Amino acid sequence: MSIRKNYLQIRREIPDYVKIVLAAKMRTKEEIEEVISAGAEIIGENYVYEAEKLYISLGEDAKKLEWHMIGSLQKNKINKALKVFDCIQTIDSTELAEAVDKRAERMDKVTSVFIEVNIGSEITKCGVKPDYEMIKRIAIEISKLRYLKLKGLMTMGPRVGDPEDARPYFRKTKEIFDKLKDTGISNVDLKYLSMGMSNSYKIAIEEGANMVRLGTVIFGKRSCDLNN
Ligand SMILES: *Cc1c(COP(=O)(O)O)cnc(C)c1O
């Protein structure tokens, strides 16, 4: 199957309201161009440098897309990140939010952000602990920042073999999402719940995701994975 066919098939299979973020890590410019021509609208990148390179190489096409940062953002890369990204999905502390806001103000660029929830509480992973009060506190702090717009929550879910095992974690993230939304923090429009990847997106959608991040099912295995 071609990238184009894979994309179109998944687009048909999942509900229209679900946004697809194309996880572009390790992919070539040609692969990305193919998925754009099939209708892709959002590119997700893990690294600022790769995103910058891809952005430049795509020329005019790049400006028609939405660019989402889905990898953890180092403070010393914020300026560069803001030149490419429209949305940072990986805010996991008030400090990081404030640092992004300060630089966004200098660039006069209002930036969308998501709070990343470490739903499995795994030590090696980024994200805020799945503690509702803590997440709410960060959300309130973000709501006071003039150059950030809090629009969603993101989670990786636990990296488990059977995606069915991720279901309770997705469910819990949805509960946090709904509760936070119902709190009605002013200046916050919580719209997106970004969860689910190639092996788990169907389950994530069943549990309330309206944004999924897909790499392998669209592009095939990453070449580094083939060596394993
Ligand atoms: C790579 C990546 C994805 C997509 O992973 P696949 O399993 O290839 O679909 C989604 N989210 C993040 C944060 C990623 O780094």
Side-chain angles (χ1 to χ4, degrees), residues 23 25 46 70 154 156 197-198 213-216 222:
K25 60 172 174 279
N46 296 67
I70 59 173
M154 180 274 219
M156 292 285 283
M197 318 203 302
S198 288
R213 306 179 309 271
L214 305 179
T216 314
R222 283 178 283 277

Side-chain angles (χ1 to χ4, degrees), residues 69 73 81-82 85-91 100 111-114:
M69 177 70 176
L73 178 59
L82 288 177
F85 293 110
D86 305 292
C87 176
I88 313 287
Q89 292 202 9
T90 49
I91 297 294
V100 174
T111 303
S112 300
V113 294
F114 295 179

